[in-house]
Amino acid sequence: MTIIIAAGGTGGHLYPAVALAREFLRRDPTIRIQFVGTARGIETKVLAHEGFELRLISAKPVMGTGVLGIAKGLAAMPVSLWQCVRMVLKEKADLIVGVGGYTSPMMVVAAAMAGVPRVILEPNANPGMANKAIGWAANRVFLAFESAATSFNRARIRVVGTPVRREFLDHVKEAQLTPRTAGRRHVLIFGGSQGAKAINTAVLEGLSKLAMDNPSLTITHQTGQPDHARVQQAYRGVGIAAEVVPFLYDMPAAIGAADLVVSRSGAMTIAELTTCGKPAVLIPLPTAIYGHQMNNAQVMEAAGGAVVLPQSELTGDKLAATVTSLLKDENRLREMGTASLALRRTDAAEMIVRECYSLMGDRHDDHQSHGATGV
C-alpha cells in the first residue's frame, strides 16, 4: 500500500505529518510512505533526518506574498497539479493526506481527479486558507479544535486533536521518573522551526536581568539559522549556562527537559507542550494569517497552562520579569503544568489512521492485529 503525504513549508505542517506517517508504519511496517513538498520548505532538511523519502513539486505560496507573489503562486498551480496527477497515478496511491500550506491543495485535487481517497488535517483553531479552499475535495477533515468546524462540511469532520510523535510520550514518562535538582530551573526558548528574531531580541535585552535574578538558570535557545551567530555571541560572558542552536531536531527531549517554555504558539507547538504538560510563556506570531496563533495561545491561557505576551507589548524587561516570576513560584508552575497536561490528546494519530483505513476499505488492512493501542 502507498500513502502520499503533502506537507511542508514549516514545522507546524510537517511534524503532524511525520507523527501520522509513523503511526501508519506502526500499524503496518510494509506501507510505503511518500512525502511531497517543495525545495524552499523545511521538509528538505527534516525528512532526511527522519528517514522519509521526499518528492518535490513546483507549488508556491499565495497568501501573504504581495501581488507579485500571488501571481507567481497562481501561475504555478497548473504545473504542480500536473506533477501531482502524474505522481498519484504512477505510484498507484491508495490514500492522499494533505496537511495545509501551499504544498497540499494540488495534491488533494489530483487525488479527487483520480478517485483516490483523500483527507486533510487542520491543526489550528482558525483554519488556514489552503485547507478552507480544498475542504470540498476531501473525504474527511481532521480537526484539532472544534472551533474550526464552521469552515467545513459538518458530515466530513472529525475532531481528533493534533498528531504528536510518540517520542514526546516517552519523555513524559522519563521525566516522571527523574527527580528535579532542587533550586535549578531550565528554560527552553524557541520561535518555531525557523526561529523568531523578535523573541531572540527580547531575550537578549533581558538576559542580564534573567541572569541576576536566576543564578542557577540554564537555557536551551533555538534561534533559527539567520540569527544564530548574533544570539550565540550575546550569551557569552552573561553567566548563564546555555545551549544556543539554530535548529532542534530532538524537540521531544528539549521540551521534556524544560521547567518552562518560551515560544510562539503554532498548533504543533501547543500540541507538543500539552502532551508533555509544560507551562509556557506564549508570544503569538502577529502576522499569522487570521490570527490563528493568538487563537491557539488564548485556548491554552484560558485553561491555565500559559501566559500570553503579545509581541506588540514584548520587551526584554517584561519577558525577563514574567519568566522570573513563574520560575520562583513553584506552586504556579505546577498548576500550569497540570492545566497544560489536561489539554493533551495522545490518540489523534491512531484515530486518524483508523478512519483512513475505513475510507480505503478493509481490503487494505492486512495488519489489523497491529492496531493501535491506548497510551
Side-chain angles (χ1 to χ4, degrees):
M1 182 165 66
T2 298
I3 297 173
I4 297 178
I5 302 178
T10 67
H13 289 127
L14 188 60
Y15 280 114
V18 170
L20 188 59
R22 296 211 181 283
E23 183 60 29
F24 272 113
L25 290 171
R26 190 173 78 92
R27 180 161 177 157
D28 181 357
T30 69
I31 289 176
R32 179 168 179 256
I33 304 286
Q34 173 71 70
F35 274 86
V36 173
T38 69
R40 60 184 293 159
I42 193 175
E43 57 269 28
T44 57
K45 177 168 58 175
V46 170
L47 288 176
H49 180 82
E50 295 288 340
F52 288 105
E53 181 185 358
L54 173 66
R55 295 278 295 278
L56 301 179
I57 60 173
S58 302
K60 290 181 171 59
V62 174
M63 300 301 295
T65 60
V67 175
L68 182 59
I70 291 173
K72 289 181 177 179
L74 293 175
M77 285 183 179
V79 176
S80 58
L81 177 59
W82 172 240
Q83 291 170 329
C84 291
V85 170
R86 288 182 61 188
M87 197 180 308
V88 169
L89 297 177
K90 181 180 179 181
E91 301 294 338
K92 298 180 180 178
D94 297 283
L95 177 72
I96 303 298
V97 180
V99 196
Y102 59 90
T103 303
S104 64
M106 293 302 99
M107 183 56 73
V108 175
V109 170
M113 293 171 63
V116 174
R118 58 269 174 204
V119 303
I120 59 176
L121 275 62
E122 177 49 68
N124 289 298
N126 196 345
M129 177 57 74
N131 277 344
K132 282 183 177 180
I134 212 65
W136 60 270
N139 300 117
R140 292 289 184 275
V141 179
F142 297 107
L143 305 178
F145 297 94
E146 179 66 38
S147 60
T150 56
S151 299
F152 303 100
N153 183 330
R154 173 63 69 170
R156 299 179 183 180
I157 288 171
R158 304 291 186 271
V159 182
V160 298
T162 301
V164 174
R165 288 166 285 167
R166 284 184 166 268
E167 292 91 332
F168 283 97
L169 298 174
D170 295 338
H171 280 284
V172 170
K173 295 173 183 176
E174 182 180 331
Q176 290 170 344
L177 298 173
T178 306
R180 293 288 185 189
T181 302
R184 297 192 68 86
R185 288 287 179 264
H186 184 70
V187 173
L188 169 64
I189 302 168
F190 68 100
S193 56
Q194 300 177 52
K197 188 173 183 179
I199 293 178
N200 294 341
T201 297
V203 170
L204 299 189
E205 289 174 353
L207 206 50
S208 295
K209 182 173 177 56
L210 268 177
M212 185 184 307
D213 294 341
N214 305 275
S216 298
L217 179 66
T218 59
I219 292 176
T220 296
H221 190 151
Q222 183 238 308
T223 63
Q225 189 64 55
D227 218 14
H228 180 241
R230 176 178 78 105
V231 176
Q232 189 175 53
Q233 179 63 35
Y235 270 95
R236 292 177 181 148
V238 174
I240 292 179
E243 179 188 15
V244 183
V245 296
F247 188 81
L248 282 167
Y249 285 104
D250 194 353
M251 189 60 80
I255 291 180
D259 296 291
L260 179 69
V261 178
V262 177
S263 69
R264 291 296 195 197
S265 52
M268 191 72 249
T269 296
I270 299 297
E272 292 170 351
L273 291 174
T274 56
T275 296
C276 295
K278 295 298 177 178
V281 177
L282 299 176
I283 305 165
L285 177 66
T287 57
I289 298 173
Y290 307 119
H292 70 260
Q293 285 212 10
M294 179 59 77
N295 292 338
N296 297 341
Q298 288 172 339
V299 169
M300 191 168 174
E301 183 180 50
V307 173
V308 177
L309 286 182
Q311 187 168 303
S312 60
E313 302 173 13
L314 183 64
T315 65
D317 284 345
K318 188 167 187 177
L319 180 58
T322 301
V323 169
T324 296
S325 68
L326 293 174
L327 292 179
K328 291 185 179 300
D329 191 339
E330 179 68 30
N331 288 335
R332 188 175 182 195
L333 271 184
R334 189 183 303 111
E335 290 169 358
M336 289 176 68
T338 299
S340 174
L341 192 65
L343 291 175
R344 79 172 181 170
R345 294 284 298 267
T346 62
D347 60 350
E350 297 171 21
M351 294 176 69
I352 292 171
V353 168
R354 285 198 298 267
E355 188 76 15
C356 287
Y357 269 109
S358 178
L359 275 176
M360 292 184 287
D362 290 340
R363 62 189 174 83
H364 289 277
D365 195 359
D366 296 327
H367 293 74
Q368 293 188 51
S369 62
H370 289 270
T373 56
V375 176

